[in-house]
């Protein structure tokens, strides 16, 4: 091929060469770094929660009536609310919970294997749940069983203290505490004052903090969730029934007791709020990358078009000397290919430099080789596409251009 | 001469209007993106209250677990909030110029216009909060110290709630029902939207301030549970809200003091250290003595309040502007060199290199100013859009700094981008082009 | 070698049509050294462009080395230009970004020759024009005469059967012009047909045949005898006019 002469000619046109090189190098550096951040945010967003998010509705009722200070009243109200919600058409299951998974507000504590040192303790997000919890959450049980009526302590037992509750753990916690199998084992809080027996292990489920590294460490406890100022319910609908159910929840609960504020949200809304920053970052970064692609593409188009105009006579001469249209096209594409290639090599250094800066200043993830290669290939293609239009224009320059005095 | 050059530059820009518009649009695009992200970053990371941030101290007492530090990444730091019992105990020393304990809660507001009650995030605080952070009042004023302890049923509201409940205006003296009590409005805040909620950085520092403020003394009688982060380390079997407040080791209170002199700092430090020693004797504060009066700027650093996202985006957006500028160099180079014959004639007619150089640079700067103005204008919607994506609530207040930042960025990029093409065209030997004519 | 019959070439602008060539007939035999003369605007350049396959024509027929040009595709024309024709331009048309060696190399690149064969051909062509020592120079570092010699080397490096020269001495002083003409004669002697456009009657006389163009029509001046219609002075005058 004619790589040698093209390259030597390039070096004679330093300004054009360096401009495209610099532009490509910068574009590579910026887009690779945008990509790693984007990838991290996307991975966060796509991490499975274990829940049937798409078909869930989260309800918070915040009573103001003094009646709710009475435990017996609270229990009766909860039973009625659950009964009413379960009776709504399109509802698959309902439970009461003290906290809502993936909402970023929750309760956490420590649990360790029986008799283990406090330093062996593992952080868990915990949820007090009413009956039907597994069905409502939509999580998979790996081993053991779900809660049965006998697992729920009575008010009297609770008030007496020292209740040993049966609990469900996620596999993440269970395997950490008892690698050989947690089923039937006793777990304790940090100080050893509270004990539980593991009756089931959940395959996977997010606790209240899905963006943390401990996202999959959750514990379900049978109880009577809710207190004087706040009671929460989780509803799971039949597939696609979220909207019709959603519209009826508030009136149904207010019909049971009007002395409270009822807030209804879909789990999708909860999730969107939790991942707001991730979603925003993805939107913004995609926007920036699209703009960058357009700007760089236009820049290459402009510089190539300028160089075609400048070399009209030269192109005519080449045609006169026997170059076919395809030879001219190939010349400009090869030239672009080389400049882009050089820019990409230069951009490698810039990419890792910028990444270092971003890791230091903004806690960005480190750039990996695979991604760089991928983005490089993309930019190479972008360069070729951008050069295509002016290069095609160059092929339309007639051989006579060689003899025309300009 | 300058006027003449200005006219020539304008003429040249008008001659190829399409190209000029493309270039201006390019500059505007780069400038608007960069300005928007840099402004967001600057607003969020700037000192929220520069004239007194050093004198505002966040009180941190180490009442934590003997086995583990509060933050295992920074074992030197005490917990970032206080227990209720400690906050109550250290209040009233008379040493700080102002001091306030505070936390947020969700309480029911009962409007008397027949609409349904709703839950509102309410800040329970000592009245000094408003003096500590220079909170502006539209009507009335803060409640006095006597109302804190009593506590007297007084309330300060912001413009939003004032609008919602009373339709705006001077509502001092009117009444609001919160939970089962009636509060009297003593003050209505003016518009107040600090870029970060500096007085409570542990509970989403980017959200807007609360709309309702009531005296700290209502924590107990209203049974106002905390709506922010509560951190605990010790299992305690406590019965009821009163016992919880009196004895729990859970931390959920923010405590601020204003210490104007070194002498005050010294005295207050020994005061809280003395309190801690006294508690140690009672069996609390099991860790080594470590109480911190952290200045506000330092708190923002250790609590990593500046979001890494905005900083990363600011850096990326600046590089985006650089790419736009490189493009600008390319376009200008092409344009100037295609006009080189004209420069040749001018040179032959006696123009110095310097003149040619300056004339072309002037042309770049004209484009840059236009692009900068347009870019700064475009930056506002971009900023609002990005802000909406990232956070809820009232938009941040913008200042003229943003306009200047946009134009400054444009001028710099115009200058940098224009230097090389202008230099190239002024180096053209007059003869080269005249011969071809 | 080259046969043109009834060639018409019309340039159209919005207002006027210019007949650059009208009803143009010409036959050039292999091995001829043809000089084409005529005043400015007589159609010399158009003739060269059409004959050299740089430009199309509107009517008539043109056969080049047996091939009907009007039936050729762009690709076939490119190949003929590359393999059978060599061009020498008035303005040299060297590629400023390439050095002497690479400039001469250009036509060879379009026929996919092996590097070694290309090198040998280039060395030989440069040897003929006497510029072997300047192979690493760029056009801007050479004098006009040297540049034109590079252009000649480039024209003959592919051993074409036909060389078109457009005012090859137009930009050169007389000593250099003579040198260039010597070279063209040498190439002609080696077997190539040479078609040279010039306004210089002295140079034209060294060709084996002269033709004269006026208003796009051909006046043949076979042999030494000038056509009676045009006196020597007339030719001189128009030649002088062309130098403006």
């Amino acid at each position: 091929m004619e790589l040698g002469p093209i390259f030597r000619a390039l070096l004679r046109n330093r300004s054009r060469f360096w401009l495209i090189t610099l532009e490509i190098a910068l574009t590579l550096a910026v887009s690779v770094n945008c990509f790693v951040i984007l990838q991290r945010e996307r991975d966060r967003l796509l991490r499975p929660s274990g829940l049937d998010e798409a078909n869930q509705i989260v309800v918070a009722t915040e009573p103001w009536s003094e009646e709710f200070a009475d435990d017996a009243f609270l229990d009766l109200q909860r039973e009625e609310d659950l009964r009413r919600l379960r009776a709504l058409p399109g509802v698959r299951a309902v439970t009461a919970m003290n906290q809502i998974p993936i909402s970023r507000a929750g309760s956490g504590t420590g649990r360790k294997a029986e008799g283990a040192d406090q330093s062996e303790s593992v952080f868990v997000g915990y949820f007090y749940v009413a009956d039907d919890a597994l069905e409502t959450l939509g999580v998979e049980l790996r081993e053991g069983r779900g809660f049965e009526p006998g697992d729920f302590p009575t008010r009297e037992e609770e008030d007496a203290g020292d209740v040993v509750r049966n609990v469900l753990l996620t596999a993440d916690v269970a395997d950490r505490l008892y690698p050989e199998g947690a089923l039937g084992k006793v777990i304790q809080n940090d100080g050893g004052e509270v004990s539980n027996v593991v009756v089931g292990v959940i395959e996977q489920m997010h606790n209240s903090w899905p963006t943390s590294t401990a996202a999959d460490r959750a514990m379900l406890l049978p109880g009577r969730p809710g207190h004087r100022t706040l009671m929460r319910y989780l509803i799971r609908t039949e597939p696609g029934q979220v909207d019709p159910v959603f519209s009826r929840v508030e009136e149904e609960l207010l019909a049971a007791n009007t002395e409270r504020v009822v807030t209804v949200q879909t789990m999708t809304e909860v999730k969107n709020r939790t991942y707001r920053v991730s979603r925003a970052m993805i939107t913004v970064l995609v926007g920036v990358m699209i703009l960058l692609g357009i700007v760089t593409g236009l820049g290459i188009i402009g510089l190539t078009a300028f160089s075609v105009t400048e070399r009209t006579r030269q192109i005519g001469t080449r045609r006169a000397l026997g170059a076919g249209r395809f030879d001219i096209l190939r010349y400009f594409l090869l030239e672009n290919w080389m400049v882009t290639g050089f820019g990409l090599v230069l951009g490698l250094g810039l990419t890792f430099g910028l990444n270092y800066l971003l890791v230091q200043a903004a806690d960005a993830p480190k750039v990996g080789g695979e991604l760089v290669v991928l983005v490089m290939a993309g930019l190479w293609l972008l360069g070729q596409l951008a050069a295509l239009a002016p290069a095609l224009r160059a092929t339309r320059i007639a051989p006579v251009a060689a003899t025309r005095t300009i | 001469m300058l006027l003449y050059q200005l006219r020539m530059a304008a003429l040249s820009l008008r001659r190829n209007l399409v190209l000029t518009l493309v270039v201006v649009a390019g500059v505007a695009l780069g400038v608007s993106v960069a300005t928007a992200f840099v402004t967001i970053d600057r607003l969020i990371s700037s000192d929220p209250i520069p004239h007194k941030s050093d004198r505002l101290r966040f009180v941190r007492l180490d009442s934590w677990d003997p086995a583990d530090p509060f933050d295992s990444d920074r074992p030197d730091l005490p917990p970032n909030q206080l227990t209720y019992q400690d906050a109550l105990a250290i209040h009233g020393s008379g040493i700080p110029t102002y001091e306030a304990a505070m936390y947020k809660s969700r309480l029911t507001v009962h409007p008397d216009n027949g609409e349904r009650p709703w839950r509102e995030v309410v800040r329970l605080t000592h009245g000094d909060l408003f003096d500590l952070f220079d909170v502006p009042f539209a009507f009335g004023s803060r409640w006095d110290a006597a109302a804190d302890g009593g506590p007297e049923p007084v309330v300060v509201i912001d413009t939003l709630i004032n609008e919602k409940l009373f339709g705006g205006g001077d509502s001092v003296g009117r009444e609001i029902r919160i939970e089962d009590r009636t509060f009297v409005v003593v003050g209505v805040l003016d518009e107040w939207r600090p870029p970060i909620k500096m007085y409570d950085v542990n509970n989403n520092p980017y959200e807007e301030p609360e709309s309702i403020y009531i005296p700290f003394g209502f924590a107990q009688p209203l049974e106002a549970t905390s709506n922010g982060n509560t951190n605990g380390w010790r299992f305690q079997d406590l019965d009821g809200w009163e016992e919880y407040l009196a004895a729990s080791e859970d931390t959920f209170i923010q405590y601020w003091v204003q210490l104007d002199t070194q002498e005050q700092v010294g005295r207050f430090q020994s005061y809280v250290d003395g309190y801690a020693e006294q508690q140690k004797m009672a069996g609390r504060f099991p860790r080594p003595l470590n109480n911190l009066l952290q200045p506000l700027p330092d708190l923002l650093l250790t609590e990593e309040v500046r979001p890494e996202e905005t900083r990363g985006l600011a850096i990326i957006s600046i590089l985006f502007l650089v790419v736009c500028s490189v493009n600008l160099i390319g376009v200008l180079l092409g344009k100037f060199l295609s006009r080189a014959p004209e420069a040749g004639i001018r040179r032959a007619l006696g123009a110095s290199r310097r003149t040619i150089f300056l004339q072309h640079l002037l042309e770049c700067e004209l484009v840059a100013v236009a692009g900068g103005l347009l870019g700064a204008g475009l930056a506002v919607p971009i900023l609002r859009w990005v802000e909406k994506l990232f956070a809820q609530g009232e938009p941040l207040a913008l200042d003229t700094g943003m306009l200047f930042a946009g134009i400054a960025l444009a001028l710099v990029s115009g200058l940098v981008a224009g230097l090389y093409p202008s230099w190239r065209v002024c180096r053209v030997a007059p003869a080269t082009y005249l011969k071809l004519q | 070698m080259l046969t043109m019959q009834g060639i018409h070439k019309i340039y159209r602008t919005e207002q006027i049509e210019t007949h650059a060539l009208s009803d143009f007939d010409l036959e050039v035999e292999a091995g001829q050294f043809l000089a084409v003369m005529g005043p400015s605007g007589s159609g010399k350049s158009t003739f060269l462009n059409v004959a050299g396959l740089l430009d199309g024509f509107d009517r008539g027929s043109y056969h080049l080395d047996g091939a009907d040009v009007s039936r050729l595709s762009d690709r076939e024309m490119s190949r003929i230009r590359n393999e059978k024709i060599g061009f020498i331009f008035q303005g040299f048309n060297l590629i400023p970004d390439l050095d002497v060696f690479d400039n001469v190399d250009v036509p060879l690149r379009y026929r996919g020759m092996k590097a070694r064969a290309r090198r040998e051909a280039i060395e030989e062509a440069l040897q003929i024009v006497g510029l072997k020592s300047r192979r690493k120079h760029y056009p801007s570092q050479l004098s006009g005469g040297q540049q034109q010699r590079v252009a000649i080397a480039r024209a003959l490096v592919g051993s074409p059967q036909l060389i078109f020269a457009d005012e090859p001495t137009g930009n050169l002083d007389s000593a250099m012009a003579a040198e260039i003409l010597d070279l063209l004669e040498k190439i002609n002697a080696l077997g190539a047909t040479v078609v040279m456009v010039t306004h210089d009657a002295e140079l034209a006389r060294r060709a084996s045949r002269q033709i004269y163009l006026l208003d796009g029509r051909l006046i043949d001046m076979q042999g030494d005898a000038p056509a009676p219609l045009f006196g020597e002075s007339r030719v001189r005058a128009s030649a002088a006019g062309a130098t403006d």
Side-chain angles (χ1 to χ4, degrees), chain B residues 100-351:
Chain B
M102 58 189 79
Y103 74 102
K104 64 176 178 178
S105 179
R106 256 168 89 87
L107 300 176
T108 315
V109 177
H110 299 266
D112 57 6
N113 56 9
E115 286 188 27
R116 279 196 58 79
W118 76 91
R119 283 287 176 123
E120 184 71 40
V121 179
V122 173
R123 180 149 295 261
L124 289 94
T125 176
H126 288 112
D128 277 2
L129 163 82
F130 306 103
D131 288 313
L132 280 162
F133 296 99
D134 287 349
V135 186
F137 277 84
F139 306 104
S141 63
R142 55 161 289 187
W143 59 80
D144 54 33
D148 278 326
E152 292 169 25
V154 288
V155 63
V156 168
I157 58 175
D158 76 349
T159 45
L160 276 171
I161 287 288
N162 191 29
E163 195 67 40
K164 189 167 175 180
L165 286 175
F166 307 122
D170 184 353
S171 307
V172 172
R174 302 187 70 160
E175 293 180 343
I176 304 181
R177 251 190 105 63
I178 299 172
E179 295 294 329
D180 53 351
R181 283 161 201 259
T182 302
F183 289 79
V184 178
V185 175
V186 293
V188 179
L189 298 187
D190 211 342
E191 293 290 344
W192 187 50
R193 176 67 168 106
I196 52 168
K197 199 167 142 190
M198 53 195 148
Y199 55 79
D200 190 2
V201 296
N202 306 309
N203 298 303
N204 188 5
Y206 314 115
E207 68 183 13
E208 54 201 302
E210 290 81 10
S211 288
I212 298 180
Y213 303 80
I214 59 175
F216 190 72
F218 282 102
Q220 205 270 316
L222 278 184
E223 294 191 32
T225 50
S226 169
N227 186 236
N229 287 319
T230 301
N231 302 307
W233 56 275
R234 201 178 142 197
F235 177 81
Q236 290 166 289
D237 195 6
L238 300 171
D239 200 17
W241 180 242
E242 201 174 339
E243 203 178 313
Y244 176 81
L245 288 184
S248 173
E249 291 292 355
D250 286 0
T251 61
F252 62 95
I253 307 282
Q254 303 88 46
Y255 201 103
W256 286 94
V257 292
Q258 180 175 329
L259 302 171
D260 292 323
T261 63
Q262 265 325 109
E263 188 262 331
Q264 265 179 313
V265 175
R267 273 176 63 206
F268 197 68
Q269 181 75 53
S270 37
Y271 169 72
V272 293
D273 286 348
Y275 170 74
E277 293 290 2
Q278 186 194 327
Q279 290 299 307
K280 276 178 184 293
M281 299 218 262
R284 294 183 66 232
F285 284 65
R287 295 181 63 76
L289 191 70
N290 181 19
N291 303 315
L292 209 57
L293 306 178
Q294 205 172 17
L296 173 59
D298 192 38
L299 174 73
L300 299 183
L301 280 181
T302 59
E303 297 303 298
E304 295 176 352
V305 166
R306 182 174 179 173
E308 55 213 27
E309 281 85 6
T310 63
R311 202 177 331 186
L313 287 177
I315 295 174
I316 285 172
S317 71
I318 291 279
L319 281 170
F320 178 71
L321 176 64
V322 173
V323 174
C324 288
S325 300
V326 172
N327 258 338
L328 186 60
I329 299 179
V331 176
L332 291 173
L333 194 66
K335 182 177 180 185
F336 288 177
L337 287 187
S338 71
R339 267 203 349 245
E342 187 195 311
I345 296 172
R346 283 181 188 280
R347 294 271 283 125
L349 296 178

Side-chain angles (χ1 to χ4, degrees), chain A residues 1-2 5 8-9 12-13 311 313-314 317-325 327 399-400 402-403, chain C residues 49 53-55 74 78 81-82 87 89 91 93 95-98 102 106-107 109-110 138 140 154:
Chain A
M1 294 306 272
E2 44 187 332
R8 289 194 285 276
R12 301 272 299 168
N13 281 289
R311 289 188 279 186
R313 190 190 187 84
Q314 189 190 123
T317 305
R318 284 180 183 276
R319 295 280 278 133
L321 295 177
R325 292 212 163 109
D327 292 312
V400 218
T403 60
Chain C
N49 288 343
L53 308 192
L54 298 183
D55 211 348
D74 182 77
S78 296
R81 283 198 299 267
N82 185 241
F87 281 101
F89 301 98
N93 279 17
I95 293 170
D97 304 330
L98 299 178
D102 281 339
V106 170
R109 288 279 180 169
Y110 297 125
Y138 282 90
S140 56
R154 187 176 66 182

